Amino acid sequence: MAKSNAARKGASVAAPAAGKGALASVSGGRASLAPDLDKVIHERVRLAIVSALAVNPSLSFNELKSLLTITDGNLSVHARKLEDAGYIASQKSFAGRVPLTEYRLTA
């Protein structure tokens, strides 16, 4: 990458002024660009669950597990968090003697 003229001459380059268009400060190694994002849904696995359900009317536990390639326990915990927050709903039933959990997005 080429250096700017000011950088080559050893001059200091001023940081952009705070305000519109400037990046927010970095705190704890993460940029706080949008502090109003809902942390419940914006975690990687939870966002993947919601995204998968956005394009399918409903998915079973095993379909989600296979699609996202995550463990039973991981899917169970993340689905429960989304359900508690009201983003998804689950319906538990049996297919023969096998339990079947179906997930869908809430309105």
Side-chain angles (χ1 to χ4, degrees), residues 15 59 69 82 107:
L59 290 170
T69 60
L82 288 169

Side-chain angles (χ1 to χ4, degrees), residues 16-23:
K20 196 168 190 167
L23 291 176

Side-chain angles (χ1 to χ4, degrees), residues 1 8 17 30 32 35 41-42 49 55-56 62 79 81 86 91 95:
M1 189 162 88
R8 271 188 246 126
R30 292 182 173 241
S32 56
I41 196 172
H42 286 94
I49 292 169
V55 295
N56 294 288
N62 286 330
K81 291 274 188 189
Q91 181 176 357

Side-chain angles (χ1 to χ4, degrees), residues 40-76:
V40 171
I41 196 172
H42 286 94
E43 192 280 328
R44 186 185 66 84
V45 173
R46 294 180 202 147
L47 189 57
I49 292 169
V50 171
S51 297
L53 291 171
V55 295
N56 294 288
S58 69
L59 290 170
S60 72
F61 183 89
N62 286 330
E63 290 169 332
L64 273 172
K65 184 176 80 164
S66 174
L67 181 66
L68 304 177
T69 60
I70 58 177
T71 64
D72 289 12
N74 202 0
L75 177 56
S76 177

